[in-house]
Amino acid sequence: MTTFETLSVSPLMKALVRELGYEKMTPIQAESIPVLLEGRDLIGQSKTGSGKTAAFTIPILERIHIEQSATRDIQALILCPTRELCSQVTREVRKLGRKKIGLQVLEVAGGMPVFPQKKALESGVHVVVGTPGRVLDHLQRGTLNLSSVKFIVLDEADRMLDMGFEDDMKTVMNALPEQRQTIFFSATFPPNIIKLSSKFQKNAVMVKIAQTPEDQASLSTISQKFIVVKEEEQKPEAVFQLLANESPDSAIVFCNFKTTTFELTELLAAEGVSVACLNGDMEQRQRDLVMARFRNQSIRVLIATDVAARGIDIAGLDLVINFELPKMRENYTHRVGRTGRAGKDGKAVSFIRENEKSKVAGLIAQSGAVSHPPIAEYVKKTLPRYDLGSKMETIVILEGRKNKMRPGDVLGALTGEAGGLKGKDIGKIEVHDFHTFVAVSRDVAKVALRCLQSGRIKGRRVRVEWPK
Ligand code: AMP
């Protein structure tokens, strides 16, 4: 039992962690936080969902000085491979830093407009969370000054190398002061990571928590099934049947190819399923929107590739479907591990061909069951009436944190005397820098839209629209 109380961190941080309901440290936190508080370099092995963000954020926030930095120099830089991970990490840093009054955290990710980032950088921030390409871009434009950085984190370092960020990362690292703490987190330790570590880290402590019994236990609460299909063409129908039978509130279907994600999305949408695809070909803005709608239950089923889904932390997925087995074995665990988080039971179903049975023989023997899909006609006749539409719909308000928009303002405009809607009809309200996503029950969505269009928020008219 390692509680946060045992750490030598400030009473404020301990209070915050209690507020957040974190009872004990995760293994990566228990191993890393004390080392990082000592100021040592660290290279840690862990993946999304292990609590790694807090593992590096807590020690960094403990040693960032707000009062001394009247000019607000950048003290910590966190590099992440994708924009999704950037915004996830930014949210976590803001959450853990909310008792540090005056802390400024900025997301500097690619795929976003440059100018607002430049303005925010000019006004001064303490922590920058960014993708290597965009950070380098600002560095070269002279809009980013890294000379005061004391902490540098490479999050999912292996993935950044995979994505071809090596040169960008190196250039950024070389622009940092010699005196600093260098922290690497990576899911795997291939030779190029070790080389990067020896080049940029000093006496780094290595923390490996790869396959702890806890990891396996978390997978063991997941029921893993395999369905053998004769023809590739049977799969879309089989996916639909499965969804209709299980009626999950949120599910992800993993595919190996982008083209498959598009096709399958179209087929399921035609059957009335609330579905969207997520792949690397889509524009960033579009991906953000899909993710927000999935998180707030406006979309029930996401059809994704591994690359697009990596680094996304969605709590409480009811079902993961493997449209086909992943090409890389380790991705099976990544995919399946997304259901059954936080002690909940999860369910994973993989479609396989007869000749793939041997590939998963171990899993089948361990925990899985094999079956064949029910015959389509039979299912169609006997299935109860299914409703795979979404429970919620999303409304986009074209103002956000930078316009001082807060969830309470939106809630106020929709409920009470002003809006007339009931609290239970309003779902998640997600405030981003320049826009806000509001989830409302499908039945009242039109009313809610009209209410926001014709009413006022914080005494002002705001632009409101359906997602495009
Ligand atoms: P990460 O691996 O950093 O993506 O974190 C996964 C999730 O676990 C995040 O939503 C965190 O807020 C949450 N989390 C981090 N540390 C703890 C903890 N010690 N106890 C419970 N939840 C945690």
Side-chain angles (χ1 to χ4, degrees), residues 2 4 17 20-30 33 46-58 85 88-89 92 95-96 155-156 311-315 341-342:
T2 29
F4 287 92
V17 169
L20 294 176
Y22 296 180
E23 278 163 14
K24 50 177 192 163
M25 288 191 267
T26 64
I28 191 76
Q29 290 166 351
I33 296 177
S46 67
K47 51 185 194 209
T48 298
S50 61
K52 69 181 157 71
T53 317
F56 61 74
T57 303
I58 291 174
L85 192 62
Q88 203 173 300
V89 169
E92 186 88 0
K95 192 164 84 179
L96 289 166
D155 195 7
E156 297 201 357
I312 296 172
D313 181 36
I314 304 152
R341 289 231 178 126

Side-chain angles (χ1 to χ4, degrees), residues 226-231 234 350-355 357 364 370-373:
F226 298 88
I227 294 181
V228 185
V229 292
K230 282 216 185 65
E231 314 271 344
Q234 283 183 311
S350 308
F351 290 107
I352 53 173
R353 304 291 300 279
E354 192 68 41
N355 61 8
K357 261 192 188 166
I364 292 175
V370 202
S371 63
H372 294 268

Side-chain angles (χ1 to χ4, degrees), residues 74 76-83 85-87 89-90 94 104-122 125 127-139 141 143-146 165 402 433:
I74 298 169
L77 173 65
I78 302 168
L79 293 181
C80 310
T82 63
R83 162 104 162 76
L85 192 62
C86 274
S87 66
V89 169
T90 306
R94 287 197 176 121
Q104 294 288 331
V105 184
L106 182 70
E107 188 183 333
V108 177
M112 303 277 289
V114 175
F115 186 70
Q117 295 177 350
K118 185 168 165 277
K119 292 292 284 183
L121 286 168
E122 269 167 18
V125 298
V127 181
V128 166
V129 184
T131 48
R134 182 57 67 89
V135 166
L136 180 62
D137 189 13
H138 281 287
L139 196 64
R141 284 166 194 253
T143 45
L144 179 74
N145 181 349
L146 295 178
F165 279 135
K402 301 281 175 195
D433 278 354

Side-chain angles (χ1 to χ4, degrees), residues 399 403-406 409 413 456-460:
E399 295 204 2
N403 314 88
K404 307 256 188 293
M405 185 68 72
R406 283 174 316 189
D409 303 324
R456 288 163 190 271
I457 305 182
K458 297 172 87 90
R460 274 184 285 127

Side-chain angles (χ1 to χ4, degrees), residues 219-238:
L219 269 188
S220 72
T221 64
I222 299 171
S223 106
Q224 301 175 58
K225 292 210 162 64
F226 298 88
I227 294 181
V228 185
V229 292
K230 282 216 185 65
E231 314 271 344
E232 210 52 35
E233 291 72 33
Q234 283 183 311
K235 284 185 180 175
E237 173 71 27

